[in-house]
């Protein structure tokens, strides 16, 4: 059983967890983008894929600079969120309703990432890891921006189109 006796241990665990989460997202985003019929949503998902790859590189940079060693683990929370998105693709016909469901699924992912990166920034700051905190804060800002973008897509017609399609 993994031990998390210190904040340092917890930081490594949480960083390893989000690293796994980001890797899982890079595999799921292309599939979600292809399933979308809303061009703004597809563009946002493809754009976030590129951003996510940069976030992984940022974690790699942080690990190298700080001389850390990540644990090999799978983020079970992200695994569940990715599984939920797969179920949406299987259960909902391609179109406006699926697009609305994809927005919601992606926002769940963003909220998980926002919580994770917020925690990591606080821990890095507590541990005096200024450079790590700065790198993690940059990713936190990107995750918040992605969430805002998804909300805007929903409010600009993504969810309204699904309502109209239902009637």
């Amino acid at each position: 059983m993994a031990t998390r006796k210190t904040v340092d241990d917890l930081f490594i665990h949480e960083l390893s967890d989000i690293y796994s989460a980001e890797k899982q997202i890079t595999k799921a985003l292309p599939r979600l983008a292809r399933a979308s019929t809303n061009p703004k949503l597809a563009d946002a998902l493809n754009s976030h894929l590129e951003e996510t790859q940069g976030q992984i590189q940022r974690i790699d940079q942080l690990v190298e600079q700080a001389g850390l060693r990540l644990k090999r683990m799978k983020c079970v929370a992200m695994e569940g969120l990715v599984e939920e998105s797969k179920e949406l693709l299987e259960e909902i016909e391609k179109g406006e309703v699926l697009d609305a469901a994809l927005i919601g699924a992606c926002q769940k992912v963003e909220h998980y990432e926002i919580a994770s990166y917020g925690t990591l920034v606080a821990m890095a700051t507590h541990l005096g890891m200024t450079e790590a905190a700065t790198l993690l804060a940059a990713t936190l800002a990107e995750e918040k921006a992605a969430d805002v973008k998804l909300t805007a897509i929903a409010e600009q017609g993504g969810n309204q189109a699904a309502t109209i399609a239902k009637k």
Side-chain angles (χ1 to χ4, degrees), residues 20-36:
S20 167
E22 297 291 17
K23 292 281 194 172
Q24 290 179 57
I25 286 301
T26 60
K27 292 177 182 153
L29 280 171
R31 182 173 48 249
L32 301 179
R34 283 190 306 272
S36 175

Side-chain angles (χ1 to χ4, degrees), residues 119-159:
T119 298
L120 283 163
V121 169
M123 282 188 211
T125 301
H126 171 79
L127 294 168
M129 301 172 71
T130 309
E131 289 179 37
T134 300
L135 290 170
L136 293 164
T139 298
L140 177 59
E142 289 172 353
E143 301 297 6
K144 287 179 178 179
D147 183 50
V148 168
K149 185 185 256 185
L150 288 166
T151 296
I153 292 168
E155 290 173 347
Q156 292 167 3
N159 289 344

